[in-house]
Amino acid sequence: MLKYMAKAGENVEIITVDDTPEAPASKFGYPINTIKGFRFVLYNEIALTFDLKQRTLAVMRRFKPDILHVTSPGFLVFVGVLTARILKVPLVFSYHTHLPVYAKQYFPVPGIDNAAWKILKFVHNRADLNLVTSPQMKEELEANGIERVEVWRKGIDVDVFQPKYKDAETRSMLTDGNPDSPLLLYVGRLGQEKRLKDLREVLRANPTYRLAFVGKGPEREELENYFKGTNTVFTGLLRGEDLSKAFASADVFCMPSDSETLGFVVLESMASGVPVVGAKAGG
């Protein structure tokens, strides 16, 4: 989005939570204002903040935006509501992580999904527009009382993901030196909500298959133990051309998760010329 907003000459300022020393200062020429936060105890990959020092409000008062766009869910949605009211600017939320499903996975107590929906309804109904990434998410949010919902049709960079990146060396790495074996690929967060353990049964039923997990997340160590003794490779995080090669070098992309709001990796795999087998659920 920022890439094409820069091409269009739009004026943008970014505020995000990042407590890492390599936090970027800009993207596509747009300044990035970093707020220090804390790590979610059940999911260490996620940084959160209440912005008690009101950094967001200070930046917005200086920048004087015509519109405020906040990604949801996260504690910054509450900051966004407050800031938009104070500055009297339109507020847009875009919904990217399906909170009720995640809540059931990480807080398995009765009624937690209903509580999550109540929070979402309370926050999102204070926005002027709520954007979701698929018609299925629009239908589900509206069924749970959220108003002013529209589908934000998304895309991927087809210059980065395409079949030309198919690479013999990458395939050999992903198959642990067995490039002639059928190769299944998953790219994304290694988390409980992704239902990645379901893939072990596929390997059990098809002993010649190879499986590669690309990405990082809180469940990596547990998954490595769970898949021990199977034809599985964990590459960790890949970026740039290495990631493009991984996508294009597989035979099938697997998406067992039923909690996706869109799943960009599915589109990236298809653009790379690799078919997808996924759960019939989510967006």
Side-chain angles (χ1 to χ4, degrees), residues 19-20 38-48 106 189-190 216-219:
D19 59 1
T20 61
F38 59 92
R39 292 286 167 167
F40 183 37
V41 65
L42 295 179
Y43 208 133
N44 195 47
E45 305 293 321
I46 299 176
L48 301 168
Y106 289 95
R189 199 163 50 231
L190 304 183
K216 64 178 184 177
E219 203 180 30

Side-chain angles (χ1 to χ4, degrees), residues 43-282:
Y43 208 133
N44 195 47
E45 305 293 321
I46 299 176
L48 301 168
T49 183
F50 289 107
D51 194 17
L52 297 178
K53 294 183 178 180
Q54 300 183 351
R55 179 85 184 280
T56 301
L57 182 58
V59 170
M60 293 297 98
R61 276 179 166 156
R62 170 181 54 77
F63 183 60
K64 297 180 173 60
D66 296 312
I67 190 168
L68 181 58
H69 174 197
V70 183
T71 60
S72 171
F75 291 139
L76 274 181
V77 297
F78 300 102
V79 178
V81 169
L82 179 62
T83 303
R85 292 295 180 268
I86 292 173
L87 299 182
K88 295 182 171 58
V89 295
L91 175 63
V92 176
F93 282 135
S94 55
Y95 184 67
H96 299 280
T97 300
H98 205 11
L99 184 62
V101 174
Y102 277 55
K104 285 198 296 184
Q105 291 282 352
Y106 289 95
F107 294 96
V109 297
I112 189 66
D113 52 336
N114 291 329
W117 276 118
K118 288 179 181 178
I119 293 170
L120 288 174
K121 182 178 177 180
F122 173 81
V123 173
H124 278 260
N125 281 349
R126 280 153 179 78
D128 297 281
L129 177 64
N130 291 294
L131 297 175
V132 294
T133 51
S134 69
Q136 293 90 341
M137 284 296 104
K138 181 178 189 293
E139 182 179 330
E140 190 168 358
L141 263 64
E142 288 178 334
N144 283 275
I146 296 176
E147 303 168 352
R148 298 177 293 282
V149 183
E150 297 294 340
V151 176
W152 183 14
R153 300 195 180 278
K154 308 297 287 294
I156 51 116
D157 192 337
V158 293
D159 292 328
V160 174
F161 301 101
Q162 51 177 284
K164 75 174 186 179
Y165 286 105
K166 187 174 182 178
D167 179 71
E169 185 176 341
T170 299
R171 184 178 176 92
S172 182
M173 180 269 290
L174 295 174
T175 59
D176 196 23
N178 295 270
D180 295 330
S181 298
L183 174 58
L184 311 180
L185 177 71
Y186 168 83
V187 178
R189 199 163 50 231
L190 304 183
Q192 179 182 342
E193 73 284 355
K194 300 299 183 180
R195 298 186 57 173
L196 300 177
K197 291 181 178 179
D198 292 356
L199 296 177
R200 192 172 71 170
E201 178 60 24
V202 178
L203 295 180
R204 189 201 65 78
N206 301 276
T208 63
Y209 285 17
R210 297 274 162 173
L211 172 64
F213 287 116
V214 176
K216 64 178 184 177
E219 203 180 30
R220 174 166 177 170
E221 184 176 351
E222 183 175 340
L223 286 171
E224 286 179 329
N225 290 330
Y226 189 77
F227 281 90
K228 190 174 182 178
T230 67
N231 299 328
T232 305
V233 168
F234 291 81
T235 70
L237 200 62
L238 298 180
R239 291 189 173 93
E241 192 168 302
D242 289 338
L243 180 60
S244 301
K245 289 177 179 179
F247 269 109
S249 301
D251 294 311
V252 176
F253 186 89
C254 299
M255 175 54 80
S257 170
D258 57 0
S259 63
E260 302 302 301
T261 58
L262 176 62
F264 280 108
V265 289
V266 169
L267 301 181
E268 290 163 352
S269 180
M270 293 169 68
S272 300
V274 175
V276 176
V277 175
K280 188 179 180 181

